[in-house]
Amino acid sequence: MSRPRDRPEAVAAVPAAAILIAIGAISGSRALAEARQLGPVIGFLAAILVLAHLCDDDGLFQACGGWMARAGAGRPGRLLAQVFVIASVTTAVLSLDATVVLLTPVVFATAAKLDVRARPQVYACTHLANSASLLLPVSNLTNLLAFAASGLAFGRFAALMAVPWLAAIGVEYAVFGRFFAADLHQRPRPQRAERIEDAPLPVFTLTVVALTLAGFAAASAAGLNPAWAAFAGAAVLAVRALARRRVSAVALVRAADVPFLLFVLALGIVVKALVSNGLGRALTPLLPGGTSLPALLAIAAVAAALANVCNNLPAVLVLLPLAMPSGAGAVLAVLLGVNIGPNLTYTGSLATLLWRRILRQHGSAPDLGEFTRLGLLTVPAGLVVAVLALWAGLRLIGG
């Protein structure tokens, strides 16, 4: 989490995995089996990272910034609503990394052009990168892991998570309106919006993204790994960008973030060793069986607490094997906890840590007390309404 001297996360995780194999905490064959299980998920993640990078190169986020500036018309409250829409859709379709890394700087620039306070909008980016990543398997690495464990088809996963997704976003929006009331009632400056230059909307890129999204559902329905659709979408945009010499092959490899992929792989092996050597037995009594409303609430609460103690990625790797015997509903409850819960602390998710670093680069380091107070208002309420929505969905359409 601290990444000393800006080293990639892999410099800690890969040696840790190697040490655990060497001392016999996990055998080489079991580590290899875990790597094979995580392989499709990691490939999927690489394709989505490249796809998001190419969307940024084609000006998609700059176009979004121009639209937010014009639609906001210098009114902070209206601008916040635009950020909520763009951040929620970006997180759902292009993953939370796109929201944190690509959209947050655009939001900073848009607020500066309109001469409004950026605090509500930039806080919305990190909160929605976590809580708005519930909708699709591609929205978050934790979702990809849960999707593989749930046994659900792409469409059924999205159908069950749609109402919890909307519920969590609704709670965030209601709380933000009260929490940042002073910033949002700042005197409007509509004259600033008139000087915003129009950025052309990349229609071809949007079309490829829409077809890729449809391909996820089609591949899942056909019994294929949805990663193939992600690779196809990324390949189309990559070939076009390479042909136009707008990107290099080296830049595409860098966009895939191979050190982070190695970190995820090594972390999976480390967590597997921990679960096999007592952690699983220690946590099993904390997770109730079944998918009753009290059981789902307890599972989500445990997942949220563990995410804030040790980060949401290892938390989901630990809890999924324990939740799987209770069915898809329990797996999705874990997902609610590890996606909504991280808004409580900086260390809850890697996305929040990265967002914090981006704010510091813009000379606007977040306040720990403010971040925690906002999390205390949004996380418990968001978790309860999202679990209620999930429970109702399971009763109506089944898991």
Side-chain angles (χ1 to χ4, degrees):
M1 296 179 190
S2 60
R3 290 180 65 180
R5 298 181 183 177
D6 290 327
R7 300 290 183 183
E9 297 90 348
V11 301
V14 172
I19 290 171
L20 290 175
I21 294 172
I23 66 176
I26 182 172
S27 66
S29 60
R30 293 188 69 183
L32 184 59
E34 182 69 13
R36 287 174 178 168
Q37 184 177 351
L38 289 174
V41 172
I42 292 172
F44 204 157
L45 176 63
I48 290 296
L49 291 174
V50 172
L51 185 67
H53 175 78
L54 292 169
C55 287
D56 183 48
D57 278 353
D58 278 351
L60 180 59
F61 294 97
Q62 286 78 5
C64 289
W67 176 77
M68 288 189 294
R70 293 189 300 275
R75 298 180 182 273
R78 191 179 298 176
L79 179 60
L80 179 64
Q82 311 304 324
V83 171
F84 260 74
V85 172
I86 294 294
S88 297
V89 174
T90 299
T91 299
V93 177
L94 291 176
S95 86
L96 79 171
D97 296 297
T99 299
V100 170
V101 177
L102 304 176
L103 185 62
T104 300
V106 171
V107 168
F108 259 117
T110 302
K113 288 178 181 178
L114 296 178
D115 198 19
V116 300
R117 295 168 186 165
R119 286 169 62 246
Q121 289 77 24
V122 297
Y123 269 88
C125 287
T126 186
H127 268 244
L128 294 172
N130 290 316
S131 57
S133 66
L134 296 169
L135 183 60
L136 301 176
V138 300
S139 306
N140 196 335
L141 177 56
T142 58
N143 295 29
L144 292 174
L145 295 166
F147 178 59
S150 69
L152 296 171
F154 188 95
R156 178 59 64 88
F157 182 102
L160 286 170
M161 297 302 276
V163 179
W165 178 69
L166 291 171
I169 294 170
V171 168
E172 295 276 7
Y173 188 71
V175 172
F176 267 62
R178 296 293 298 273
F179 191 86
F180 293 107
D183 298 283
L184 298 176
H185 287 89
Q186 179 186 358
R187 186 177 179 180
R189 302 172 186 267
Q191 70 275 11
R192 296 296 299 268
E194 297 174 0
R195 296 198 292 270
I196 302 295
E197 295 183 3
D198 288 337
L201 189 67
V203 177
F204 180 83
T205 300
L206 274 179
T207 302
V208 171
V209 171
L211 291 174
T212 302
L213 191 59
F216 294 150
S220 181
L224 300 174
N225 193 315
W228 291 110
F231 278 114
V236 169
L237 291 183
V239 169
R240 178 171 176 261
L242 288 169
R244 294 184 171 191
R245 296 184 178 179
R246 296 183 60 177
V247 70
S248 66
V250 173
L252 292 177
V253 173
R254 191 177 295 120
D257 202 348
V258 175
F260 182 70
L261 301 181
L262 290 173
F263 162 72
V264 173
L265 181 62
L267 184 62
I269 294 171
V270 169
V271 171
K272 185 69 173 179
L274 290 172
V275 171
S276 301
N277 285 276
L279 183 59
R281 290 191 301 275
L283 291 175
T284 297
L286 299 178
L287 291 186
T291 55
S292 65
L293 181 57
L296 293 177
L297 286 169
I299 292 170
V302 170
L306 190 60
N308 284 289
V309 169
C310 69
N311 192 263
N312 65 345
L313 186 52
V316 78
L317 288 169
V318 168
L319 294 176
L320 284 180
L322 306 180
M324 285 172 62
S326 295
V331 170
L332 296 181
V334 169
L335 195 58
L336 294 180
V338 298
N339 285 7
I340 297 174
N343 283 330
L344 190 58
T345 64
Y346 286 151
T347 57
S349 75
L350 293 172
T352 303
L353 292 169
L354 185 55
W355 169 84
R356 186 182 173 205
R357 187 176 305 151
I358 291 172
L359 261 63
R360 284 179 169 174
Q361 291 171 356
H362 283 79
S364 182
D367 178 72
L368 176 60
E370 183 177 63
F371 185 94
T372 304
R373 290 193 302 273
L374 182 59
L376 288 171
L377 292 173
T378 58
V379 170
L383 211 54
V384 169
V385 297
V387 171
L388 283 169
L390 173 62
W391 174 79
L394 291 169
R395 302 282 82 78
L396 289 174
I397 64 178

